[in-house]
Amino acid sequence: MKKDILHCLKVGGILCAIGSISALLIAATNMLTSNAITKHEKEKEEKALKEVFIDNNGVVPNDLVIGDKTELKNLDKKYQKLLCYWNPKSSDEGENIDNKYGYVFKTEGSDKNNYGTITMLVVINNDYSFGRISIIKNSESYATTVQKDYVDQYNAGNRLLTDVTCGATYGATVIKEMAESASSYVKEVLNNGK
């Protein structure tokens, strides 16, 4: 009996040591890679900011100035998927012209079944219509289908944003809802309902 207790204590001690060493290794790895991960995420966001303004010839307007990001916090429930926005400007011979390019919103959300999360940028034009969309991160089950059959088709002008039937309807619906929320925020909050 005493031998069994000592054996259990020994096995428990070994498992505890393995768990502690594993936790330390994970923490050390996180410390070493956190700056690289943050840098990579920022580069992805910057690339996506340019992608949403690419014209039909694959060119970003040379007068485009993205400007500073405005973080969004403590929003009403209908705007909870909005993370931040930019108000890009046109710089023509050093003169800033507001709202030529509308707004760009970064949004993040998941569908009602929690099949994954989508983080995207969407342009909201001055007439509250939707511009291009760029997916930054997509952990949805059908991520490739959402990108290829919905977002790419929408950006190419071959699909309406409201047409979510694409083989990944839940993900497409999340994208549509996030874009609609951004448009509503511009109209109701930034432009005071005008």
Side-chain angles (χ1 to χ4, degrees):
M1 181 78 161
K2 192 174 183 180
K3 193 174 187 180
D4 289 340
I5 293 173
L6 288 174
H7 177 71
C8 289
L9 288 174
K10 182 178 177 184
V11 169
I14 291 170
L15 291 174
C16 196
I18 290 171
S20 298
I21 291 169
S22 297
L24 287 172
L25 288 173
I26 291 170
T29 302
N30 186 44
M31 282 178 37
L32 292 172
T33 60
S34 65
N35 289 340
I37 291 170
T38 302
K39 180 182 175 190
H40 177 69
E41 287 175 356
K42 185 175 180 180
E43 288 170 354
K44 248 181 132 170
E45 184 176 271
E46 289 171 356
K47 180 182 176 202
L49 273 167
K50 290 179 182 161
E51 283 178 3
V52 293
F53 289 106
I54 290 175
D55 64 16
N56 292 336
N57 298 320
V59 178
V60 176
N62 60 1
D63 67 334
L64 178 69
V65 179
I66 297 295
D68 294 331
K69 174 176 18 178
T70 302
E71 298 289 339
L72 298 172
K73 299 188 185 309
N74 303 321
L75 298 173
D76 289 345
K77 185 177 181 180
K78 69 182 193 177
Y79 302 127
Q80 285 180 343
K81 293 178 180 178
L82 305 179
L83 302 176
C84 61
Y85 71 89
W86 293 262
N87 185 357
K89 304 194 182 320
S90 171
S91 175
D92 189 11
E93 297 178 18
E95 197 176 308
N96 281 335
I97 304 165
D98 287 346
N99 284 334
K100 176 180 178 182
Y101 293 109
Y103 294 89
V104 180
F105 278 81
K106 182 176 181 181
T107 65
E108 184 173 86
S110 60
D111 62 69
K112 63 183 179 181
N113 295 321
N114 282 327
Y115 287 140
T117 302
I118 297 173
T119 306
M120 71 175 201
L121 295 182
V122 59
V123 174
I124 304 300
N125 297 314
N126 293 323
D127 62 356
Y128 311 117
S129 64
F130 311 110
R132 291 178 58 86
I133 292 172
S134 181
I135 303 296
I136 297 173
K137 184 170 78 175
N138 188 350
S139 64
E140 284 266 327
S141 303
Y142 293 96
T144 304
T145 303
V146 168
Q147 181 69 47
K148 186 178 78 159
D149 294 343
Y150 184 68
V151 174
D152 291 348
Q153 293 298 314
Y154 166 76
N155 284 338
N158 299 327
R159 171 184 292 276
L160 295 173
L161 191 69
T162 55
D163 179 12
V164 295
T165 308
C166 66
T169 304
Y170 290 132
T173 301
V174 170
I175 290 170
K176 177 183 81 76
E177 289 171 353
M178 291 189 298
E180 290 171 343
S181 178
S183 178
S184 177
Y185 186 85
V186 171
K187 184 174 187 177
E188 295 172 12
V189 178
L190 297 179
N191 292 339
N192 299 316
K194 295 176 188 174

